[in-house]
């Protein structure tokens, strides 16, 4: 009973906030709706017993990706009139994409439910004895080890690429050299003198 | 309690009702603890600055926080005209809520925990990564320069230190073999000879120190309180807030500090276990040991705040990215290597 209520609550909010992500005029509001959608998706995953994935969804998407979105969007100076003009222009393409995606999902579901493509057990039942994390770890580090490592490699390359693309050496910048700042002693920076009256100090 | 309700209701509703009562049992004393800890904080700073601190309201000024609470409650909530009203009011609620929800997984004793989930530590990480939204949103929605600067600083700072915290937690998880906080506490029983807690383990000690410093940064306490650096940013992201909306930030901040103290105690100091694995000490209820440890860490937090000068922003970032991140990453390798060498396959 409560599970069903929770499911409908989460599902409704996911759909609603997904729609509002697109519909809301203020981009910051859009990001907030997106975050709400992530959250409720995580709630749905907990309902089916995939708590590990739910937590990762929140940590990665809400905790990192959406923060970056928000960062960028907050500092943008957006011309709303121009954005609304764009909607009419790209409406056809957007609609075509949406229809194509929906059709593909339908075909996939149809093939899954009727066809002979039984990859393994369908929607493998959750084993209460084995925790989620352990089950995923067992699969990732045995059966899909090479795929997993390849994914790691791709991420590493992407990270290096991002650094190479954005890192530039600029001349004429005063950088902080922490070790030199710490190593500086009063004796190097100051000097005690007793100048004669009217003579001053040589620098 | 579930079974008590179950006699008159179905299991579902009994569980629901019992959980709500449990939440209140944790949240209400927590609010009281926050009020008292603010008083303690002010008393400790005062003592370190050779002042008296609050001493007017009630005996020894004990009721000072309640007087403050009553005061802000009676004040008017002002929303700046240029502010984004909905988000402006949502921000303190997010901060406060997030500070409370993490307490669901903190174990207070053997099996005394609201949600004994096996992804407890990930839940802590997930919830603490939400905390940043309250601050970013308050800065942006205020539509004012200082709060906005503060929000950007806070976001960068919290995201940076979360990375290091993640690696530190991973090393704890490696040693325990579980993300469950109760399991983490139990795994620390007589960890080093007769002493409970990871803290005396030479491989974990640096992690414990780094976690303490990172938790200072994560809660934006001195010396990392650049988001509220009053000499530069007035009051940071709270500048435009007044009355209860301000009080929510205030309560959320201290609830977060208490939470970080509890996490320090739970992850490295044995949580509700007594410090020494000696039978008579187990007659003292576990919750008292946990409170003693939390208070000890809170004293450290105040001590640092009273004595350490504020970091410069570039030094803060340097410490997070160039010191903590590589060291903790290396330490994860070291710990996992040691564990692989010594106990292959242990810790299911």
């Amino acid at each position: 009973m409560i599970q069903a209520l929770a499911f409908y609550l989460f599902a409704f909010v996911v759909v609603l906030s997904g729609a509002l992500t697109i519909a809301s005029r203020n981009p910051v509001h859009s990001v907030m709706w997106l975050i709400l959608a992530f959250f409720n998706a995580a709630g749905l995953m907990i309902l089916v017993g995939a708590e590990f994935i739910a937590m990762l969804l929140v940590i990665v998407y809400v905790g990192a990706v959406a923060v970056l979105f928000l960062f960028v969007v907050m500092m943008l100076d957006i011309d709303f009139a121009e954005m609304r003009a764009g909607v009419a222009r790209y409406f056809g393409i957007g609609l075509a994409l949406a229809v194509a995606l929906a059709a593909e999902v339908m075909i996939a579901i149809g093939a899954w439910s009727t066809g002979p493509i039984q990859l393994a057990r369908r929607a493998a039942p959750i084993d209460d004895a084995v925790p989620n994390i352990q089950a995923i770890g067992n699969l990732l580090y045995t059966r899909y080890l090479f795929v997993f490592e390849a994914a790691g490699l791709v991420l590493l390359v992407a990270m290096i690429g991002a650094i190479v693309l954005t890192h530039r050496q600029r001349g004429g910048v005063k950088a902080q050299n922490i070790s030199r700042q710490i190593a500086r002693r009063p004796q190097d920076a100051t000097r005690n003198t007793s100048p004669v009256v009217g003579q001053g100090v040589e620098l | 309690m579930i079974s008590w309700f179950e006699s008159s209701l179905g299991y579902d509703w009994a569980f629901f009702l019992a959980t709500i009562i449990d939440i209140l049992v944790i949240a209400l004393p927590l609010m009281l603890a926050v009020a008292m800890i603010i008083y303690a904080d002010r008393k400790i700073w005062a003592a370190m600055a050779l002042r008296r601190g609050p001493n007017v309201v009630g005996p020894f000024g004990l009721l000072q926080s309640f007087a403050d609470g009553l005061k802000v409650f009676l004040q008017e909530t002002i929303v700046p005209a240029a502010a984004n009203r909905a988000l402006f009011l949502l921000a303190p609620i997010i901060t406060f809520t997030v500070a409370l929800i993490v307490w669901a997984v903190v174990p207070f004793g053997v099996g005394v925990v609201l949600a004994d989930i096996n992804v407890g530590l990930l839940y802590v990480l997930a919830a603490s990564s939400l905390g940043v939204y309250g601050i970013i949103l308050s800065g942006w929605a205020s539509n004012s320069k200082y709060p906005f600067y503060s929000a950007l600083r806070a976001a960068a700072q919290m995201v940076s230190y979360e990375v290091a915290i993640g690696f530190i937690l991973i090393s704890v998880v490696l040693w325990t073999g579980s993300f469950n906080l109760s399991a983490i506490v139990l795994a620390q029983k007589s960890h080093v000879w007769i002493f409970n807690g990871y803290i005396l383990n030479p491989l974990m000690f640096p992690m414990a120190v780094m976690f303490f410093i990172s938790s200072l940064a994560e809660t934006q306490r001195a010396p990392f309180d650049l988001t509220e650096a009053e000499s530069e940013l007035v009051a940071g992201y709270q500048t435009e807030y007044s009355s209860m909306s301000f009080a929510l930030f205030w309560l959320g901040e201290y609830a977060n500090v208490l939470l970080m103290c509890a996490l320090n105690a739970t992850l490295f100091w044995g949580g509700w276990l007594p410090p020494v694995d000696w039978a008579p000490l187990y007659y003292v209820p576990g919750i008292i040991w946990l409170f003693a440890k939390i208070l000890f860490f809170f004293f450290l937090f105040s001590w640092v705040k009273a004595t350490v000068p504020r970091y410069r922003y570039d030094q803060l970032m340097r410490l997070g990215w160039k010191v903590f991140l590589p060291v903790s990453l290396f330490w994860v390798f070291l710990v996992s290597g040691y564990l692989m060498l010594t106990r292959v396959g242990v810790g299911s």
Side-chain angles (χ1 to χ4, degrees):
Chain A
M1 173 63 180
I2 285 176
Q3 274 195 332
L5 280 182
F7 170 78
Y8 284 116
L9 177 71
F10 286 140
F12 176 71
V13 178
V14 166
V15 174
L16 183 76
S17 52
L20 283 171
T21 306
I22 308 168
S24 58
R25 291 185 177 171
N26 191 328
V28 174
H29 290 181
S30 277
V31 177
M32 292 317 292
W33 287 118
L34 185 66
I35 292 165
L36 193 62
F38 283 148
F39 244 107
N40 286 278
L44 284 177
M45 284 179 189
I46 287 179
L47 278 186
V48 297
E51 68 266 16
F52 180 62
I53 306 222
M55 289 302 147
L56 282 196
L57 184 76
V58 174
I59 292 172
V60 174
Y61 281 91
V62 179
V65 175
V67 171
L68 289 183
F69 275 0
L70 203 58
F71 235 93
V72 174
V73 163
M74 259 166 40
M75 288 187 276
L76 284 180
D77 188 22
I78 292 163
D79 188 356
F80 293 112
E82 197 179 326
M83 266 177 63
R84 244 166 271 148
V87 170
R89 201 170 134 206
Y90 295 112
F91 189 74
I93 304 173
L95 197 67
L97 272 179
V99 168
L101 272 179
E104 277 177 358
V105 170
M106 294 292 174
I107 291 170
I109 292 172
W112 178 265
S113 57
T114 60
I117 323 166
Q118 294 277 15
L119 288 173
R121 280 169 302 168
R122 222 190 263 182
I126 309 254
D127 188 356
D128 278 338
V130 182
N132 235 281
I133 305 167
Q134 216 176 326
I136 290 176
N138 276 343
L139 268 186
L140 271 189
Y141 291 108
T142 54
R143 202 161 145 193
Y144 299 112
L145 179 64
F146 292 109
V147 185
F148 182 67
E149 295 211 323
L153 213 62
V154 169
L155 281 179
L156 181 67
V157 171
M159 195 170 82
I160 294 172
I163 292 170
V164 167
L165 282 177
T166 52
H167 186 74
R168 59 195 167 116
Q169 292 284 352
R170 282 177 297 175
V173 177
K174 279 190 181 171
Q176 306 271 358
N177 187 341
I178 302 285
S179 50
R180 214 169 65 207
Q181 287 171 0
I182 294 170
R184 196 169 133 117
R185 293 277 158 257
Q187 295 84 355
D188 313 330
T190 56
R191 151 168 79 101
N192 276 338
T193 53
S194 45
V196 186
V197 175
Q199 208 163 12
V201 183
E202 261 179 57
L203 287 174
Chain B
M1 182 142 56
I2 295 176
S3 52
W4 190 74
F5 280 117
E6 210 177 345
S7 56
S8 53
L9 300 158
Y11 177 79
D12 277 3
W13 291 106
F15 180 79
F16 191 70
L17 215 61
T19 310
I20 290 202
I21 290 173
D22 284 348
I23 290 172
L24 289 179
V25 164
I26 293 179
L28 295 181
L30 180 66
M31 287 292 88
L32 195 66
V34 165
M36 292 325 290
I37 217 81
I38 291 172
Y39 165 76
D41 209 11
R42 294 175 62 177
K43 273 288 190 195
I44 293 169
W45 300 335
M48 293 207 182
L50 297 180
R51 289 182 287 114
R52 281 199 179 158
N55 62 350
V56 175
V57 190
F60 308 106
L62 273 169
L63 299 176
Q64 181 66 48
S65 301
F66 299 101
D68 289 345
L70 199 63
K71 185 188 74 184
V72 292
F73 197 68
L74 293 175
Q75 282 169 341
E76 181 192 354
T77 305
I78 300 166
V79 181
N84 189 319
R85 199 182 167 83
L87 290 183
F88 184 82
L89 293 176
L90 184 67
I93 298 176
I94 291 180
T95 307
F96 182 67
T97 315
V98 165
L100 285 190
I101 59 172
V102 189
W103 284 91
V105 293
V106 174
F108 295 100
V110 193
V112 187
V113 48
L114 176 60
D116 199 15
I117 52 178
N118 59 21
V119 286
L121 213 48
L122 286 176
Y123 175 81
V124 170
L125 265 182
S128 75
S129 67
L130 287 179
V132 72
Y133 282 107
I135 295 172
I136 299 187
L137 281 182
S138 62
W140 182 80
S142 299
N143 206 351
S144 164
K145 283 197 182 67
Y146 290 129
F148 190 63
Y149 278 132
S150 158
L152 293 185
R153 280 187 180 185
Q157 177 179 336
M158 288 180 84
V159 170
S160 324
Y161 280 85
E162 233 152 56
V163 181
I165 284 186
F167 282 122
I168 294 167
L169 295 187
I170 286 292
S171 69
V172 174
V173 169
L174 280 172
W175 213 289
T176 311
S178 171
F179 276 97
N180 184 318
L181 281 164
S182 302
I184 289 174
V185 170
L186 283 176
Q188 297 178 50
K189 196 171 176 183
S190 51
H191 182 65
V192 178
W193 193 41
I194 58 162
F195 296 103
N196 295 326
Y198 284 137
I199 184 71
L200 287 172
N201 181 336
L203 267 177
M204 294 301 266
F205 180 73
M207 291 308 232
V209 174
M210 270 162 52
F211 187 72
F212 178 70
I213 298 171
S214 303
S215 54
L216 285 176
E218 190 71 6
T219 50
Q220 284 146 25
R221 292 276 291 194
F224 304 107
D225 57 346
L226 282 136
T227 51
E228 304 161 34
E230 56 276 352
S231 53
E232 307 156 24
L233 297 179
V234 193
Y237 56 91
Q238 308 164 346
T239 306
E240 305 289 347
Y241 282 86
S242 57
S243 171
M244 271 319 275
S245 55
F246 174 74
L248 283 183
F249 271 126
W250 207 31
L251 292 174
E253 198 182 313
Y254 272 91
N256 252 330
V257 169
L258 273 184
L259 174 78
M260 278 299 173
C261 296
L263 280 183
N264 266 300
T266 306
L267 295 178
F268 293 101
W269 293 69
W272 40 264
L273 294 170
V276 181
D277 192 28
W278 181 49
L281 289 180
Y282 284 95
Y283 286 110
V284 179
I287 197 163
I288 289 181
W289 288 117
L290 182 67
F291 280 173
K293 285 169 187 174
I294 290 176
L295 289 179
F296 169 70
F297 274 104
F298 188 76
F299 179 73
L300 286 187
F301 269 61
S302 315
W303 189 1
V304 168
K305 181 155 184 166
T307 49
V308 181
R310 186 176 293 136
Y311 256 51
R312 217 168 54 201
Y313 194 71
D314 65 305
Q315 289 173 332
L316 172 87
M317 283 293 140
R318 175 178 167 272
L319 185 70
W321 288 105
K322 292 188 179 172
V323 180
F324 278 8
L325 178 60
V327 170
S328 57
L329 188 56
F330 174 72
W331 224 263
V332 169
F333 276 110
L334 206 66
V335 167
S336 49
Y338 174 78
L339 289 178
M340 275 190 79
L341 270 180
T342 51
R343 10 173 249 193
V344 181
V346 170
S348 50

